[in-house]
Amino acid sequence: MSGFLHDVNVMVDRALGLLDLPPGLAEEIRGCHAVYHVRFAVEMRDEWKVIEGWRAVHSEWRLPAKGGLRYAPSVDEDEVEALAALMTYKCAVVDVPFGGSKGGLRIDPREFTEGELEQITRRFALELDQKGFLSPATNVPAPDMGTGEREMAWIANTYRRLHPEDVNAEACVTGKPVAMGGVHGRTEATGRGVQYGLQAFFSHTDDVVAAGLDRGLDGARVVVQGLGNVGFHATKFLSEEDGAIVVAVIERDGAVIDESGLDVAALRAHMDETGGVAGFPGATFVEDGAAVLEHPCDILLPAAMEGQITEDNAPRIQARLVAEAANGPVTAAADEILRARGITVIPDFYLNAGGVTVSYFEWVKNLAHMQFGRLEQRLTELRAESVLDLFARAGDPVPPEIAETLLQSESELNLVRSGLYDTMRTSYATIREVLRSRDDVDDLRTAAFVLALGKIARYYQEYA
Ligand code: GLU
């Protein structure tokens, strides 16, 4: 046996083995509940183009089941099931009350025009809807690799037309444009969550020392694989706000290295213009991008695809910390090797949970039919003004930076960031607590699985 799903299950089994569950419960929790495999034909360019897609529901222990839709040539049943399982554990670990799902189409979106993609996406939404795999109550997709706001808008619009009587129709999908009921901060949420997750890790000096790192985030040398939505936002925030130095970026066409630090915003603009990282001024281009995963650094941030760090290259990884921004970037065999080598791994289903966390906020906003902060905004402002006024009267004006915090608006973006920050901080603290309190757990991934599986198992034992 091999493959992505197999690898996820190997890692899950290690944690399940520590949980002492009644016979059969482990199998119930870890197995995928349902998979819908669809084939449909759309007429384009004077032919019938047959498209293949999947939607897997790994778990409905909480509803709706939640997870993105991926458009990529790699999409198949194994990948979708593995990603759906990770969604279950991801939501459980950060206390987002959803089950796990994932879907996708086996297409390369770059081979289609916008009009064709709209035709394909609307048809996929129709198929999902008809088979009960799209609904604000039971199954809510979101963006993933190859999809974004635009696709989510087409899905939301298709669903609304099919269910005009559903007052919660907007909540059938998350990651929508703000003008269509999306929430501020969703686009960059996964990257933001990676930043907050790393801040949480680095705020625990014991963990930093245990990982063999001799500095904090400020000055930390980062190698990132993938400058897509997640990798771009994560490295942009880490370099601009935390002082991290991005020494190498690995992309489809190769890698660029600059030991003095790459400007990721400029690099992204260069990529948009030229289609790749080659030729980026001031940086050294290396055609064999994968080899750069082994470049010396403090933090290796795989933010592209699954299966990138394998038993072949794991023995040569030089980072002290592997921060899994993508889903499943480290295979089970590589995970063993990294653990044996004392390299710390911050697991994907915690570190990239920022996306689904903010999706949760969007879903709640859609059900509430009201923008976050709308009711309390003026009241909070009045309170802050009164506090400042009181200090001014006492002849003791408040320092500007404190006044700024007090006057910070309850804008939706500020509230979303606050909720995301707190989620990442408290979840990390709970994971490390498991790691520190149990003698039989010696890595963050197993600790996070013990935590997530424990929550699901308790639910089954007490309420199901
Ligand atoms: N596709 C994202 C993930 O893998 C987001 C899922 C969601 O927001 O539902 O976590």
Side-chain angles (χ1 to χ4, degrees):
M1 274 286 278
S2 66
F4 191 8
L5 180 61
H6 170 78
D7 277 23
V8 170
N9 282 334
V10 166
M11 301 195 229
V12 169
D13 285 347
R14 192 166 55 234
L16 279 171
L18 305 174
L19 283 179
D20 192 24
L21 299 179
L25 184 55
E27 201 37 48
E28 161 68 9
I29 292 175
R30 123 206 219 286
C32 183
H33 284 200
V35 194
Y36 172 43
H37 181 186
V38 63
R39 220 178 260 108
F40 56 84
V42 278
E43 208 179 348
M44 55 180 60
R45 303 179 210 175
D46 295 326
E47 62 166 311
W48 288 93
K49 177 90 189 146
V50 178
I51 310 276
E52 209 177 357
W54 289 264
R55 183 76 177 164
V57 175
H58 173 259
S59 171
E60 295 166 293
W61 79 291
R62 294 217 156 137
L63 285 172
K66 191 81 187 78
L69 290 178
R70 176 172 288 197
Y71 288 0
S74 66
V75 171
D76 61 17
E77 192 157 323
D78 181 88
E79 183 183 60
V80 164
E81 278 197 36
L83 292 165
L86 285 174
M87 285 308 302
T88 299
Y89 308 126
K90 192 181 298 192
C91 293
V93 90
V94 293
D95 280 328
V96 163
F98 293 149
S101 185
K102 199 80 169 205
L105 295 178
R106 185 189 286 163
I107 58 169
D108 183 348
R110 289 169 305 175
E111 287 172 3
F112 296 92
T113 65
E114 182 165 1
E116 289 167 347
L117 283 171
E118 175 168 359
Q119 208 184 334
I120 293 169
T121 304
R122 285 185 182 276
R123 175 63 187 276
F124 190 32
L126 181 73
E127 299 288 338
L128 291 173
D129 178 78
Q130 285 175 349
K131 298 293 185 299
F133 284 81
L134 176 67
S135 144
T138 55
N139 199 320
V140 179
D144 198 80
M145 193 187 294
T147 61
E149 287 193 342
R150 184 182 64 173
E151 286 71 17
M152 302 308 116
W154 292 328
I155 294 170
N157 186 262
T158 306
Y159 182 86
R160 211 182 50 195
R161 285 188 190 171
L162 291 166
H163 304 273
E165 77 296 346
D166 185 347
V167 69
N168 293 319
E170 260 185 354
C172 76
V173 67
T174 59
K176 301 177 291 291
V178 173
M180 266 196 89
V183 74
H184 287 98
R186 175 63 185 85
T187 307
E188 67 274 30
T190 310
R192 227 353 132 197
V194 169
Q195 177 199 25
Y196 291 163
L198 281 167
Q199 286 177 354
F201 171 85
F202 277 94
S203 72
H204 293 274
T205 316
D206 291 3
D207 300 3
V208 179
V209 172
L213 287 154
D214 52 12
R215 59 183 146 227
L217 262 183
D218 192 9
R221 307 178 75 72
V222 178
V223 170
V224 62
Q225 181 191 38
L227 213 56
N229 183 36
V230 180
F232 168 65
H233 285 111
T235 49
K236 182 172 187 294
F237 301 145
L238 287 166
S239 57
E240 288 178 1
E241 298 169 17
D242 299 298
I245 302 165
V246 181
V247 294
V249 171
I250 305 161
E251 259 293 335
R252 285 173 206 267
D253 64 325
V256 278
I257 303 174
D258 181 352
E259 297 299 337
S260 64
L262 291 154
D263 176 345
V264 288
L267 180 55
R268 174 77 177 233
H270 174 83
M271 284 170 61
D272 289 343
E273 213 171 282
T274 66
V277 292
F280 184 60
T284 310
F285 178 70
V286 179
E287 213 172 305
D288 181 7
V292 180
L293 287 167
E294 300 158 26
H295 192 75
C297 62
D298 298 309
I299 307 172
L300 176 58
L301 200 85
M305 278 200 73
E306 61 265 20
Q308 298 301 301
I309 300 168
T310 63
E311 57 197 311
D312 296 332
N313 58 6
R316 295 188 303 273
I317 296 295
Q318 297 196 54
R320 293 304 318 156
L321 181 66
V322 176
E324 295 186 326
N327 289 310
V330 174
T331 65
D335 194 51
E336 290 285 346
I337 296 169
L338 295 180
R339 229 151 9 101
R341 292 186 56 213
I343 295 174
T344 301
V345 178
I346 307 186
D348 48 4
F349 65 103
Y350 158 70
L351 194 64
N352 71 30
V356 76
T357 301
V358 177
S359 277
Y360 168 47
F361 301 155
E362 179 176 334
W363 184 77
V364 169
K365 172 188 175 179
N366 294 154
L367 297 186
H369 297 263
M370 197 191 292
Q371 179 156 330
F372 290 119
R374 182 164 173 179
L375 291 183
E376 45 288 60
Q377 172 63 30
R378 181 62 190 138
L379 201 57
T380 315
E381 239 170 56
L382 282 173
R383 287 208 183 103
E385 283 163 15
S386 307
V387 171
L388 296 176
D389 192 38
L390 227 103
F391 276 93
R393 279 196 223 173
D396 193 9
V398 173
E401 63 284 3
I402 297 182
E404 200 187 312
T405 311
L406 275 171
L407 287 170
Q408 218 176 48
S409 78
E410 297 227 7
S411 68
E412 188 170 85
L413 184 60
N414 281 341
L415 290 168
V416 161
R417 279 195 194 158
S418 150
L420 177 57
Y421 182 84
D422 187 59
T423 300
M424 297 309 291
R425 174 182 58 181
T426 39
S427 305
Y428 181 76
T430 338
I431 296 169
R432 82 184 286 279
E433 194 42 46
V434 175
L435 177 60
R436 306 214 142 228
S437 61
R438 292 188 63 133
D439 294 340
D440 52 359
V441 175
D442 57 13
D443 65 289
L444 286 167
R445 192 191 313 275
T446 309
F449 271 132
V450 164
L451 186 66
L453 293 161
K455 288 182 197 179
I456 303 170
R458 257 193 314 283
Y459 173 85
Y460 273 96
Q461 286 173 295
E462 287 169 23
Y463 309 112

